[in-house]
Amino acid sequence: MPTPTPTLTRIHRPLLLAPAGNWECAKAAIENGADAIYFGLERFNARMRAENFTEGDLPELMAWLHQRGVKGYVTMNTLVFPQELPAAEQYLRSIILAGVDAAIVQDVGLCKLIRHLSPDFPIHASTQMTVTSAAGAEFAHELGCNLVVLARECSLKEIDKIQAQLSDREISIPLEVFVHGALCVAYSGQCLTSESLGGRSANRGECAQACRMPYDLIVDGEYYHLGDKKYLLSPQDLAGLNVLPEIIKSGVSCLKIEGRLKTPEYVASVTKVYRSALDRIVADLGISAEPDRDLYNLEMAFSRGLYTGWFEGINNQALVHARFGKKRGVYLGEVTRVYPDREAIAIDPIAPIKAGDGIVFDCGHPEDREEGGRVYEVFKNERQSEVMLSFGRGAVNFRQVYIGDKVWKTSDPELDKQVRQTYAGDVPKFQRSIDLEIHGEINQPLIAIARDEVGYVVQVESEILLVAAQNQPLTTDKLSSQLGRLGNTPFRLGSLTNHLVDDLMLPVSALNQIRRELVTKLTEARSQPKSWQLSPTNKLTDLLPEVDRAVLNPPQLIILVRKLDQIPAAIESGIATIYCELEDPRKYHEAVQLVRAAKSKSNPPQIFVAPPRITKPGENWILEQVRSSDADGYLIRNYDHLEFFKTDRCIGDFALNVANPLTADYFYQNYTFDRLTASYDLNIDQLTALIRSCPRDWFEVTIHQHMPMFHMEHCVFCTFLSEGTDYTNCGRPCDEHQVKLRDRVGTEHILQADAGCRNTVFNGVAQTGAEYIHRLVELGVYNFRLEFVNESPQTVSETIGYYQQLLGGQISGTELWKSLQLSSQLGVTRGSLGV
């Protein structure tokens, strides 16, 4: 007989993980059913704008969380720069000693440091590590991670494939997914937009949210009219509620809610909805008893529109509606009539509205000041379905409100009050189950054993001996009634198993004393910090690589091209190493042949080609196409590349986020690289510190480029130049049109697609670090990269010529920058290397 399909009740119940930007948010999460919370400290966390906690808060916070049966994870999910490693080590020691349940980490070197300090402290690989495949999960596992937070772009089908492939590899590592909250349009850990535009790196917790800004679409040099669609890079918010059963069936171990910058009311509302839905699904009762109410609560908590994200696959039309990039709330309908003299409007509402609610009028220009205010009165109009909304005197400028304007409810004070009541006061409101076992026989004490969901076990014996019952013996019901009176405690009675021998009796006062002692003992047991191992002798300095000051080599330029016609320009300029990144990997064969045709030269160049930055399950055919080019080597950008090209010559690209010597050393010790590209997040002082802390020949530095800002699953070509949903039905407008995104200051950023139909937005203004190049040469750097996107062959030749003059001492860095300024229509900035 075939093995029956397991029911949901047999599937492991995933933890529900809620965000906490401060104490009140932590309380809101706990009282609404979170199994764990994640929070940041003052440094090294990807939400530096949150209130956050301090090192000094940790002992009290962790004791409180554990008393309530809740885990606490610290986010150390940023890149760590060389000068910061000693401080990071101290942070880690404090975190481990405080009994924190895990650290959520992005930086490879930081993972290495944690495992050196403690063999058993849990490490969770952050979504900032951009894990999209089984190879990525295996990389994290080998690094010492105990759990992997998958990239939000993974669909349910892809999660199933990753689980199956991990099983085939005999690797057991739990997976975590985001289930609700804001979606970054770019892959987390791969967004350089804030760094490029303002020196505020998303990899350092300082994202400026440029994805939420309006952009104009420029197609083939002309403005492309999209009506009221301007927010071309702003996804709707993720809501996995409707696919929660499928998420649970995928076997993920944890469901994560986004929102460390959100309010306590948001944390409470969203946690409560998912707690209820999760419990009902596991009990096989369906998603929700009140789906409309749950949706209303989620939208009022925070919503730019709610959508299942990438869980159900790619649907570019649904992911980004492009009409606004900020919170809206619940959609009420459109304005049907305006009554300026009565300071009122009429609508046909599709959602409830009442006096006191706050609304905003949406005329299609969210970048401008919008009219809105609190509703003073709601009353029926003469039309059957219409209602009139009146406002306080002067609250709304009705000359700026028009028939057809969309109306959104942005505030519901009554709901806010109800939500705040869920976590107000000091008495626990959310209680976690404990199971009791009762043992005893005549003339012996009653023994009560309590077990909680976390695994703690305590035992209490009565001071009074059990006697034979003349009447009203201690039945299971009576024991449950008396011992289950756990109000005002963090506990509720789950099951009670009665092992009493014969009919026995004990006074009620004794039972009450047993109950109080059980609560006290269990609370004390749970309050003890986790005893992770922490080596007193292992130190950061043990891991630092030896610095070998070898003989200096003469500096050389490496050219990265993205168009075939740029290759001859690089060859004619005498460049010894060329990198090539093309949308279609089938064209790499032609690129290689172009370079090989130059072999007759006295110093023939070598060519490395670049696979796409992201690899999903089932996409190894792309890597096969890349390898079939028979290039001299390959640019390594993700964990699948590390695995697939492990026997080839490799250059570690910037996407590996090498920002400190521990990360660099890990890659050199475990993989074969000719060299690594330093992270684009480093300014000149941080880059200098990195170079000084490692052998001088480990790195190449990108000194001229159009910064790759957004790298995203969202396809702008498909969304706005077709009616298709993905590559299967979009008609491939990326093959026919040149597209740019014009920002608010008029810069036109270059858009390109890759073989996986993922888009990269390149900064329209090139950046140069020319003024620092001699300083870097003195440090021993001799590999300098120039990157091109859509420049003409002539521009490529001229730019290479300027840098050759710079390296030859014929011009200074400042002179080069000024020359490039004059020769470039878009301009050249000094870039993000500046301090």
Side-chain angles (χ1 to χ4, degrees):
M1 293 180 62
T3 303
T5 302
T7 63
L8 281 171
T9 53
R10 298 176 189 170
I11 290 178
H12 173 70
R13 180 200 302 259
L15 295 180
L16 183 60
L17 176 60
N22 55 39
W23 283 96
E24 194 173 13
C25 288
K27 188 175 182 182
I30 290 171
E31 298 298 1
N32 284 279
D35 297 307
I37 66 167
Y38 63 105
F39 57 93
L41 301 177
E42 308 101 313
R43 298 179 68 183
F44 308 117
N45 90 82
R47 291 292 182 271
M48 291 308 297
R49 288 185 292 125
E51 186 174 332
N52 293 314
F53 293 85
T54 68
E55 281 185 270
D57 291 327
L58 283 175
E60 180 185 357
L61 176 61
M62 294 312 303
W64 176 50
L65 291 175
H66 289 160
Q67 284 176 13
R68 300 299 305 275
V70 174
K71 295 182 178 181
Y73 306 146
V74 166
T75 57
M76 291 191 73
N77 54 343
T78 64
L79 299 183
V80 180
F81 296 150
Q83 307 97 314
E84 299 170 327
L85 285 170
E89 178 184 16
Q90 181 55 52
Y91 257 55
L92 289 171
R93 291 187 182 277
S94 298
I95 287 167
I96 294 167
L97 286 171
V100 169
D101 293 286
I104 303 172
V105 182
Q106 173 188 15
D107 194 288
V108 167
L110 196 61
C111 292
K112 184 178 177 182
L113 176 58
I114 292 172
R115 201 44 76 233
H116 183 63
L117 297 176
S118 172
D120 62 348
F121 178 69
I123 306 171
H124 293 182
S126 169
T127 193
Q128 294 283 122
M129 287 185 77
T130 327
V131 175
T132 59
S133 67
E138 183 173 3
F139 175 88
H141 182 261
E142 292 176 351
L143 186 58
C145 297
N146 307 90
L147 176 146
V148 170
V149 187
L150 291 176
R152 291 173 238 212
E153 290 81 358
C154 291
S155 69
L156 286 166
K157 289 182 180 179
E158 289 163 345
I159 293 170
D160 289 340
K161 288 179 182 178
I162 292 170
Q163 295 277 38
Q165 290 168 2
L166 288 173
S167 178
D168 291 342
R169 296 171 184 232
E170 298 183 345
I171 295 172
S172 177
I173 186 165
L175 303 180
E176 176 178 305
V177 297
F178 279 88
V179 73
H180 192 93
L183 283 176
C184 298
V185 75
Y187 274 91
S188 294
Q190 300 297 315
C191 184
L192 293 163
T193 310
S194 296
E195 174 70 25
S196 177
L197 297 179
R200 296 175 50 185
S201 170
N203 284 324
R204 298 281 294 168
E206 298 172 333
C207 173
Q209 295 195 315
C211 54
R212 304 300 179 186
M213 297 293 106
Y215 293 88
D216 292 331
L217 193 67
I218 308 300
V219 180
D220 301 326
E222 299 292 332
Y223 172 74
Y224 192 87
H225 186 65
L226 291 170
D228 62 351
K229 295 181 179 181
K230 294 184 178 180
Y231 294 80
L232 310 185
L233 303 178
S234 181
Q236 297 192 74
D237 292 338
L238 172 64
L241 190 64
N242 290 339
V243 292
L244 199 55
E246 289 77 15
I247 297 173
I248 296 171
K249 286 178 184 177
S250 74
V252 297
S253 69
C254 188
L255 308 177
K256 187 171 189 175
I257 299 167
E258 180 276 338
R260 284 190 289 133
L261 290 172
K262 301 291 200 322
T263 65
E265 291 85 355
Y266 166 90
V267 174
S269 288
V270 177
T271 304
K272 186 178 183 67
V273 168
Y274 281 89
R275 174 79 276 156
S276 174
L278 181 57
D279 290 346
R280 288 182 64 83
I281 291 167
V282 172
D284 207 16
L285 297 175
I287 293 178
S288 173
E290 296 183 282
D292 291 342
R293 185 66 182 174
D294 284 347
L295 177 61
Y296 177 84
N297 289 350
L298 292 176
E299 288 183 324
M300 288 309 306
F302 193 96
S303 170
R304 300 180 182 93
L306 298 180
Y307 180 56
T308 52
W310 288 282
F311 277 131
E312 296 179 285
I314 295 172
N315 184 336
N316 286 299
Q317 300 297 337
L319 180 72
V320 175
H321 55 62
R323 290 179 173 85
F324 49 82
K326 58 185 177 182
K327 175 185 176 181
R328 279 307 194 198
V330 172
Y331 181 59
L332 294 176
E334 294 185 355
V335 174
T336 55
R337 284 187 279 179
V338 180
Y339 301 93
D341 55 332
R342 299 168 63 181
E343 296 194 324
I345 59 102
I347 63 170
D348 289 325
I350 62 172
I353 181 72
K354 59 187 179 301
D357 289 346
I359 67 170
V360 67
F361 298 103
D362 175 2
C363 64
H365 296 283
E367 66 277 13
D368 298 333
R369 182 186 180 278
E370 296 179 313
E371 292 299 323
R374 295 215 171 270
V375 176
Y376 182 74
E377 186 178 6
V378 180
F379 50 92
K380 293 292 289 182
N381 204 6
E382 56 266 25
R383 295 183 183 178
Q384 185 175 2
S385 60
E386 239 180 19
V387 298
M388 293 277 289
L389 308 180
S390 67
F391 300 85
R393 181 171 297 177
V396 175
N397 180 0
F398 288 94
R399 292 196 179 108
Q400 299 298 318
V401 179
Y402 306 95
I403 293 173
D405 283 358
K406 292 177 171 57
V407 185
W408 300 87
K409 185 198 287 194
T410 58
S411 171
D412 184 341
E414 183 179 313
L415 175 62
D416 289 344
K417 181 179 179 181
Q418 293 171 2
V419 169
R420 285 192 289 269
Q421 288 174 346
T422 65
Y423 58 90
D426 296 327
V427 175
K429 292 180 170 57
F430 187 89
Q431 297 176 304
R432 296 188 178 273
S433 175
I434 59 172
D435 296 329
L436 298 182
E437 287 184 24
I438 306 300
H439 299 266
E441 54 188 80
I442 194 168
N443 296 325
Q444 296 294 323
L446 181 145
I447 299 172
I449 302 171
R451 291 181 173 83
D452 71 1
E453 296 171 322
V454 181
Y456 287 100
V457 180
V458 297
Q459 177 175 310
V460 172
E461 295 185 6
S462 64
E463 296 179 358
I464 302 174
L465 302 182
L466 289 159
V467 298
Q470 303 301 317
N471 52 44
Q472 296 185 341
L474 292 176
T475 63
T476 300
D477 286 346
K478 186 170 183 180
L479 287 167
S480 297
S481 174
Q482 203 63 38
L483 297 178
R485 296 180 178 179
L486 294 166
N488 297 340
T489 78
F491 311 111
R492 60 177 174 81
L493 181 61
S495 66
L496 184 144
T497 307
N498 185 357
H499 294 290
L500 292 178
V501 179
D502 299 326
D503 290 342
L504 302 172
M505 190 272 290
L506 201 67
V508 168
S509 60
L511 293 176
N512 291 341
Q513 181 62 29
I514 288 171
R515 185 185 67 244
R516 288 190 291 268
E517 289 186 27
L518 285 173
V519 169
T520 298
K521 281 193 168 185
L522 199 51
T523 301
E524 290 176 351
R526 285 158 52 135
S527 300
Q528 299 304 308
K530 297 284 181 67
S531 298
W532 307 117
Q533 297 179 54
L534 180 60
S535 171
T537 57
N538 288 358
K539 295 181 174 60
L540 162 67
T541 51
D542 305 334
L543 301 177
L544 296 175
E546 292 185 12
V547 179
D548 178 18
R549 291 303 175 192
V551 177
L552 293 177
N553 291 315
Q556 65 170 346
L557 295 178
I558 299 164
I559 306 303
L560 185 145
V561 299
R562 294 187 171 92
K563 294 170 62 181
L564 283 172
D565 65 4
Q566 295 170 340
I567 293 177
I571 294 172
E572 292 301 318
S573 297
I575 296 301
T577 303
I578 298 172
Y579 298 162
C580 188
E581 179 182 18
L582 301 176
E583 175 188 350
D584 186 351
R586 293 172 297 183
K587 293 183 179 179
Y588 280 144
H589 180 74
E590 183 179 352
V592 171
Q593 294 309 307
L594 277 171
V595 174
R596 297 273 160 82
K599 288 293 185 183
S600 59
K601 291 182 175 291
S602 58
N603 293 307
Q606 58 182 343
I607 180 169
F608 289 72
V609 299
R613 280 168 64 181
I614 299 296
T615 305
K616 292 267 200 87
E619 291 185 354
N620 270 21
W621 64 270
I622 299 177
L623 305 186
E624 293 283 2
Q625 283 189 346
V626 172
R627 175 177 276 157
S628 69
S629 68
D630 192 30
D632 294 302
Y634 305 92
L635 264 64
I636 302 305
R637 291 148 157 214
N638 65 38
Y639 313 113
D640 290 82
H641 300 170
L642 288 170
E643 182 178 84
F644 190 87
F645 297 104
K646 61 185 176 184
T647 60
D648 300 290
R649 284 187 65 192
C650 295
I651 306 294
D653 207 0
F654 71 94
L656 295 179
N657 285 327
V658 177
N660 60 63
L662 301 188
T663 300
D665 186 68
Y666 185 84
F667 282 120
Y668 267 106
Q669 294 296 330
N670 292 279
Y671 303 94
T672 304
F673 284 110
D674 284 15
R675 55 188 172 270
L676 297 168
T677 309
S679 166
Y680 290 173
D681 285 286
L682 301 167
N683 66 28
I684 187 60
D685 288 342
Q686 295 150 356
L687 179 59
T688 297
L690 174 63
I691 293 165
R692 283 176 171 161
S693 64
C694 297
R696 66 175 74 220
D697 60 348
W698 276 14
F699 298 105
E700 69 179 49
V701 175
T702 300
I703 208 73
H704 179 100
Q705 64 168 320
H706 294 270
M707 183 80 85
M709 301 193 303
F710 298 104
H711 186 64
M712 51 197 180
E713 195 78 26
H714 167 51
C715 182
V716 174
F717 294 97
C718 175
T719 307
F720 302 109
L721 297 181
S722 85
E723 295 181 357
T725 57
D726 61 15
Y727 72 96
T728 65
N729 55 22
C730 69
R732 295 194 60 81
C734 55
D735 290 339
E736 301 174 13
H737 301 287
Q738 299 294 317
V739 173
K740 296 180 180 179
L741 301 181
R742 187 166 60 202
D743 65 20
R744 293 174 300 166
V745 298
T747 303
E748 295 182 1
H749 303 292
I750 307 157
L751 184 74
Q752 291 195 349
D754 67 14
C757 290
R758 296 171 189 107
N759 286 191
T760 302
V761 178
F762 293 90
N763 194 326
V765 178
Q767 298 184 0
T768 179
E771 291 169 304
Y772 303 105
I773 201 165
H774 291 300
R775 176 174 169 182
L776 294 170
V777 169
E778 289 174 359
L779 290 170
V781 178
Y782 58 89
N783 290 295
F784 295 96
R785 186 195 297 189
L786 313 182
E787 290 196 358
F788 299 97
V789 181
N790 61 350
E791 290 90 339
S792 68
Q794 180 181 353
T795 300
V796 171
S797 296
E798 290 177 353
T799 304
I800 292 173
Y802 284 127
Y803 281 95
Q804 288 172 330
Q805 292 178 58
L806 175 64
L807 290 180
Q810 297 161 283
I811 61 173
S812 69
T814 301
E815 288 171 329
L816 181 145
W817 175 70
K818 289 180 178 178
S819 297
L820 289 176
Q821 280 279 80
L822 293 173
S823 66
S824 172
Q825 291 181 338
L826 293 175
V828 179
T829 72
R830 285 179 163 98
S832 56
L833 279 181
V835 292

